[in-house]
Amino acid sequence: MEPIDLIPIVGTISPFLCAILIILIIFLFKTKQEKSRNDVLKAAIEHGRELPPDFFKKPEKPKVNLLTNSLFFLGFGLGVSVFFYLFFAEQGQGFKFASIGLIFIFIGLGQLVAYLVERKQKKACEQEGI
């Protein structure tokens, strides 16, 4: 087998290996973080010290702001569409490539709808006193 024959094989396998590598790195990071947390707990128990109650709480993830995300995706999609339209306009393929931005625009519209529905539900709950 010559080296030139390995190019399609490596090209096919490399995305899967990259995905596996990313998952492995995340797993190892979380494992190392949990191990260091357990070491602190073990050392505190051995020395008879009390840990603050906040030590056992997991950090809360910040709540996602749907309005901000939707506006970001709408702006990003619009920017991508304008960029590709202007870049490929001379070749007559501006609309063809500008449609790539529609993906982000529709994601933004979906999040905007979700925000409006959530806001309407909150108002309904407040009026009912729940």
Side-chain angles (χ1 to χ4, degrees), residues 119-130:
R119 189 176 73 171
K120 186 176 179 182
Q121 288 177 346
K122 281 183 182 178
K123 282 185 180 180
C125 287
E126 287 175 2
Q127 289 177 351
E128 291 177 7
I130 297 177

Side-chain angles (χ1 to χ4, degrees), residues 110-121:
Q111 288 182 342
L112 184 62
V113 168
Y115 168 76
L116 294 173
V117 168
E118 183 178 295
R119 189 176 73 171
K120 186 176 179 182
Q121 288 177 346

